[in-house]
Amino acid sequence: ISTRRDDDDGEACPTLWNEAERTFSRCINDFCGNETAFKDSERNAFVASAIMLEWGLAQHHFRKSRRGKASFNKALEYSKLEVEVTGADGVRTKYQTKMTAQYLVRAK
């Protein structure tokens, strides 16, 4: 996705957003929640999760407030992926002597 963010308001081009929204809307209608898009149910789940993930990234990129998270959660639902976000104290390298907070994401 290409867009201008050099404007004073930092917003993306409205025409580009409208085109992305129309395209993703059609993809979501055709492939998400439609178990008969492909004969293979695993492929249906993969395609639906990929579409929702990309849609969430587009919403985030175009700075659509609080909309990307719902799409990311829907992608997790389609993919049946379990994600746990935690933190722990630790060191990043063998040369680091001071313990610092480490961000940890576990996926199953």
Side-chain angles (χ1 to χ4, degrees):
I1 296 175
S2 69
T3 182
R4 292 184 350 200
R5 288 210 180 163
D6 298 332
D7 297 345
D8 294 336
D9 60 2
E11 292 294 318
C13 174
T15 304
L16 191 55
W17 165 249
N18 291 337
E19 182 65 27
E21 192 171 33
R22 277 194 303 273
T23 302
F24 276 107
S25 177
R26 184 170 178 194
C27 289
I28 290 168
N29 286 335
D30 290 348
F31 297 105
C32 298
N34 183 1
E35 294 298 320
T36 61
F38 301 104
K39 292 179 183 177
D40 182 9
S41 63
E42 286 184 23
R43 185 171 181 194
N44 284 325
F46 175 78
V47 170
S49 63
I51 289 169
M52 293 310 295
L53 179 61
E54 290 294 335
W55 177 225
L57 290 170
Q59 291 168 323
H60 177 72
H61 178 79
F62 284 103
R63 298 178 181 169
K64 299 301 176 184
S65 181
R66 301 179 190 259
R67 291 174 64 186
K69 187 173 183 177
S71 298
F72 295 142
N73 288 334
K74 198 72 170 163
L76 283 173
E77 181 182 315
Y78 284 128
S79 67
K80 296 181 176 78
L81 185 67
E82 296 176 26
V83 177
E84 178 186 4
V85 180
T86 64
D89 285 337
V91 292
R92 292 187 186 143
T93 68
K94 66 181 182 181
Y95 303 108
Q96 186 179 355
T97 57
K98 182 178 146 189
M99 299 284 269
T100 57
Q102 307 289 315
Y103 189 68
L104 179 65
V105 177
R106 292 185 182 145
K108 295 180 189 179

